[in-house]
Amino acid sequence: MPEMPQHVQTLNLPKENVVVLDFGAQYTQLIARRVRECKVYCEILPSDTPIEQIIARKPVGIIFSGGPASCYEEGAPLVDEAIYGVGLPILGICYGMQLMSRQLGGQVIPGGNKREYGKTQLDVEDASDLFKGLNTELVCWMSHGDCVQEPPPGFTVTAHTPNTPVAAMANIDRKLFGVQFHPEVVHTPWGTEIIRNFLYNFCGAKGEWTMTSFINDATEAIRAQVGDANVICGLSGGIDSCTVAALVHRAIGDQLTCIFVNTGMLRKDEGTQVRKTFEDAFKIKLIYADEKARFLQKLCNISDPEQKRKIIGHEFIQVFDEIASGIEDVEYLAQGTLYPDVIESGTKNAAKIKTHHNVGGLPENMALKLVEPLRYLFKDEVRRVAEELGLPADIVWRQPFPGPGLAIRITGEVTLEKLETLRAADAIVVDEIKKAGLYRRVWQSFAVLPDTKSVGVMGDQRTYAYPIVLRIVTSEDAMTADWARLPYEVLERISSRIVGEVEGVNRVVYDITSKPPGTIEWE
C-alpha cells in the first residue's frame, strides 16, 4: 500500500481553553465561534469523549451543546456523570441543560402544548450569575420541545419565560449553570454577554487568545515540527492556501516552495495577482505551472460535472506530483485545512479528520507529512490571521471559489470560448458588487454560463446567444445560504454591462433560490 500523508499537529492547545461537548446540535459551531469572539480558545468534542481525554486538555470550563434528542429516551446521548465532580465550571445549553438537570436529580418533561420556538420574552429572577450587568427583561431564542420541570437539588431558578418556568438555573457553589434558550445565536441579542460572564466570571478566563498569539504559537510549532526539512505548498489563489503559505514562510523562510498550477479555470487576472503577491511582495519561492492547454484538452467533450471535478482533480495531482518530485529533500506538505473540515456536522463525525485538497484529493504515492497550521480556525479567523500577516485586501476578502474553478460554473462542455465569456461576465459581477460596497457583505457573487441559448434583439439585429445567470448569496458558513436582496439599480448595472460588453451574451437572469433546496454552485 502506498504511504499516505501523515497529519502533523502544528499548534499545541492554548493554556486557556474551553471544551464544547457536541450533542448533535445544529448550533454547536456557533457556540465555539461566540467563545472565540470572547478571546478564549475552544474545541468541539463528541459528547461521548472519555472524561480522561477532556481533563487531559486542562480546560478552564466546559459547555454542553443543545441537541435534537430527549434526554429521558433510550439511546439519548449522555455524558459521564463524573464530569460534574471534577470541579470545572459547566454551562448546559438547551439539551445540555436538560441532561444536566436529569443526571443531577432534576425533573425533565415533554413540553406538550407549551413548546417554544423563536423569539421569546425572558424574565430574569436572579442577575447575580450569568445575567450580571444585563436587564431583567430580555429577548431570547427558544427551540425546544422538552423542559425542566424541577431543577436539581442545590440549583436555583434564575430566569423564566411565559411557558418555561425554568428557563435558566444555577448552582453557583459548584459553578454549574443551565439555560434553556440559545445564547449563541444572533436572535438572542445579549447572548454573547451571557457566554462572556460564564467565561470571565466563573471560568477565570482572561481572554488571551488572539490572532497575534495564534501566529506566534503556530510559527514556533511549525519550526519545531519541520526542523531543517523542506516544505511544499499548493497555492490556489484562495484565502486558505495563501494564508498557509504566508504563515509557513514566516516560520521557515526559503525552506518553503509554493506551487501554483494555472488550470485555465481561474477568475480574471487571478494567476497574475497571486504571482505578484507571493513572488514580488513576500519573496516566496514560487513555481508557476501554466497548464491551461493541458487541462482544456482533458475536458474535451466532458459535460458531467462530477467527471469534470474528477478529471481536474486527477490532472492537478499529476502536475503537482511532477513538480514536487523535482524538489530536493521535501518531507512536508502544507495545506489549508480549517476547523469546519475537521469537525464535520454530527456527533459521531465530530472527531473525523478530512484528508483533502481543494481540487480533489492528495496524491496517494506522496510519502509526506502534513502541516496544517489553520486546522484550528474558522474562516473569519483565517481572514484576521491573513490581515496580521500583511496579505493584501484583495486576497484577504476574496470570496470562496471552487477548486475546479470556472469549469463547474459552465454547464455542459468546457471550451476556451465559454471560459473567456464566463471570465469576462464574472469580472463585471465582482466589479459592480465591489463598487456598490457589497463585496464583504455577501458570501459569494459570481456568474454562471448555462449550456443553452435564447433569441434576443441587439442593434435591430436578431441574436441567438448565451444567457448569464447571476448567483449572489448571503451566508455565514455555506451550510445554508439565501439569495441576496440586491438593489435593483445594482442588478441593472450588472445586466447592462454584461450584455453590452461581453460578446455572445444577450440575456441576464438572477437565481433567487436559497440553499436548501438549491446549492450555491451550479454544477
Side-chain angles (χ1 to χ4, degrees):
M1 290 290 290
E3 183 179 355
M4 287 296 293
Q6 304 169 31
H7 168 67
V8 177
Q9 183 166 309
T10 53
L11 179 68
N12 294 323
L13 288 177
K15 294 180 181 178
E16 187 176 273
N17 71 88
V18 168
V19 167
V20 177
L21 294 183
D22 179 25
F23 292 90
Q26 59 178 320
Y27 299 139
T28 300
Q29 287 195 31
L30 282 180
I31 298 172
R33 294 169 75 93
R34 297 298 173 257
V35 172
R36 293 185 182 196
E37 286 172 6
C38 297
K39 297 182 179 180
V40 178
Y41 177 77
C42 79
E43 182 180 16
I44 298 173
L45 299 177
S47 59
D48 55 1
T49 300
I51 191 169
E52 295 79 13
Q53 293 184 22
I54 297 172
I55 300 304
R57 286 167 164 79
K58 299 180 180 179
V60 297
I62 300 171
I63 298 178
F64 294 174
S65 81
S70 293
C71 64
Y72 46 78
E73 291 182 345
E74 185 177 353
L78 304 175
V79 68
D80 188 335
E81 294 187 25
I83 201 168
Y84 301 111
V86 299
L88 288 172
I90 301 175
L91 170 62
I93 296 175
C94 197
Y95 178 88
M97 168 179 162
Q98 296 163 10
L99 179 63
M100 178 189 295
S101 181
R102 181 174 173 81
Q103 288 186 320
L104 294 177
Q107 184 179 6
V108 180
I109 62 172
N113 59 5
K114 292 187 177 181
R115 297 179 179 183
E116 288 178 310
Y117 299 97
K119 289 185 178 181
T120 305
Q121 178 70 35
L122 181 75
D123 294 312
V124 177
E125 300 180 25
D126 185 347
S128 64
D129 58 352
L130 300 182
F131 301 99
K132 187 175 181 179
L134 302 180
N135 296 331
T136 56
E137 293 184 359
L138 301 171
V139 173
C140 68
W141 183 264
M142 287 284 193
S143 180
H144 68 101
D146 298 333
C147 64
V148 176
Q149 179 73 7
E150 291 287 343
F155 281 74
T156 59
V157 177
T158 56
H160 67 271
T161 72
N163 290 325
T164 303
V166 186
M169 64 182 194
N171 184 325
I172 293 186
D173 291 339
R174 299 179 65 183
K175 296 183 180 180
L176 302 178
F177 307 92
V179 293
Q180 183 59 68
F181 55 91
H182 289 276
E184 69 273 25
V185 302
V186 295
H187 306 294
T188 300
W190 299 98
T192 300
E193 281 75 5
I194 290 170
I195 292 173
R196 183 179 291 113
N197 278 338
F198 172 70
L199 298 173
Y200 282 71
N201 297 341
F202 297 100
C203 298
K206 297 180 176 62
E208 298 175 344
W209 195 72
T210 65
M211 292 304 98
T212 299
S213 68
F214 168 82
I215 290 172
N216 293 335
D217 291 345
T219 299
E220 292 179 10
I222 292 168
R223 287 172 182 161
Q225 198 67 245
V226 170
D228 296 329
N230 287 329
V231 180
I232 57 173
C233 175
L235 276 181
S236 68
I239 178 64
D240 302 337
S241 66
C242 287
T243 304
V244 166
L247 182 58
V248 174
H249 183 260
R250 183 182 192 269
I252 61 172
D254 286 344
Q255 290 170 243
L256 171 70
T257 300
C258 290
I259 300 172
F260 183 76
V261 180
N262 189 340
T263 64
M265 312 296 154
L266 303 176
R267 290 168 284 197
K268 186 177 180 181
D269 299 328
E270 193 161 35
T272 301
Q273 183 188 24
V274 170
R275 295 181 70 182
K276 183 176 181 180
T277 296
F278 287 91
E279 285 184 324
D280 298 344
F282 283 87
K283 307 301 181 184
I284 294 177
K285 288 194 294 186
L286 176 66
I287 297 175
Y288 175 76
D290 188 345
E291 299 289 349
K292 296 191 289 290
R294 175 174 176 170
F295 279 84
L296 195 59
Q297 191 276 328
K298 291 290 183 179
L299 292 171
C300 184
N301 297 320
I302 303 299
S303 298
D304 180 75
E306 189 60 29
Q307 274 191 280
K308 292 180 190 176
R309 275 189 175 275
K310 290 179 178 178
I311 290 170
I312 293 172
H314 178 268
E315 204 60 26
F316 180 94
I317 289 170
Q318 293 298 312
V319 175
F320 192 87
D321 201 17
E322 290 167 11
I323 297 171
S325 63
I327 303 173
E328 294 183 357
D329 302 323
V330 173
E331 295 183 22
Y332 295 89
L333 171 66
Q335 67 173 17
T337 305
L338 303 191
Y339 202 39
D341 297 323
V342 179
I343 47 164
E344 295 182 331
S345 59
T347 300
K348 295 302 180 184
N349 292 326
K352 181 177 179 180
I353 298 174
K354 288 183 178 179
T355 300
H356 71 100
H357 187 278
N358 66 346
V359 291
L362 292 164
E364 292 189 355
N365 61 348
M366 285 185 67
L368 299 176
K369 290 167 281 190
L370 296 183
V371 178
E372 298 177 308
L374 306 183
R375 70 189 311 271
Y376 293 94
L377 302 185
F378 291 105
K379 179 74 77 172
D380 58 323
E381 293 170 327
V382 174
R383 295 192 193 280
R384 296 205 299 273
V385 168
E387 286 183 313
E388 290 272 350
L389 292 171
L391 287 170
D394 281 350
I395 288 181
V396 173
W397 295 101
R398 180 168 291 163
Q399 294 174 354
F401 189 60
L406 299 180
I408 59 170
R409 292 177 179 174
I410 294 173
T411 58
E413 183 184 2
V414 178
T415 66
L416 181 59
E417 176 194 10
K418 288 182 178 180
L419 280 168
E420 294 304 327
T421 298
L422 180 57
R423 209 175 338 257
D426 186 75
I428 291 172
V429 175
V430 172
D431 184 49
E432 288 298 332
I433 291 296
K434 286 182 175 179
K435 285 179 179 177
L438 298 170
Y439 190 76
R440 298 189 189 184
R441 293 170 56 186
V442 299
W443 179 262
Q444 278 177 274
S445 49
F446 58 88
V448 176
L449 183 64
D451 189 26
T452 185
K453 291 185 177 182
S454 65
V455 174
V457 177
M458 300 175 70
D460 295 327
Q461 297 291 322
R462 177 186 173 92
T463 62
Y464 189 61
Y466 289 111
I468 286 291
V469 177
L470 304 182
R471 186 63 166 148
I472 306 171
V473 299
T474 58
S475 180
E476 286 194 2
D477 52 18
M479 294 177 67
T480 61
D482 197 10
W483 61 279
R485 274 66 169 175
L486 297 184
Y488 290 155
E489 55 269 22
V490 175
L491 291 172
E492 182 180 25
R493 284 196 299 270
I494 293 173
S495 176
S496 297
R497 284 193 59 191
I498 289 176
V499 173
E501 298 175 26
V502 182
E503 187 175 351
V505 175
N506 65 358
R507 190 182 299 270
V508 175
V509 299
Y510 191 28
D511 181 351
I512 59 170
T513 311
S514 61
K515 175 189 178 183
T519 57
I520 295 178
E521 296 291 344
W522 259 57
E523 60 183 302

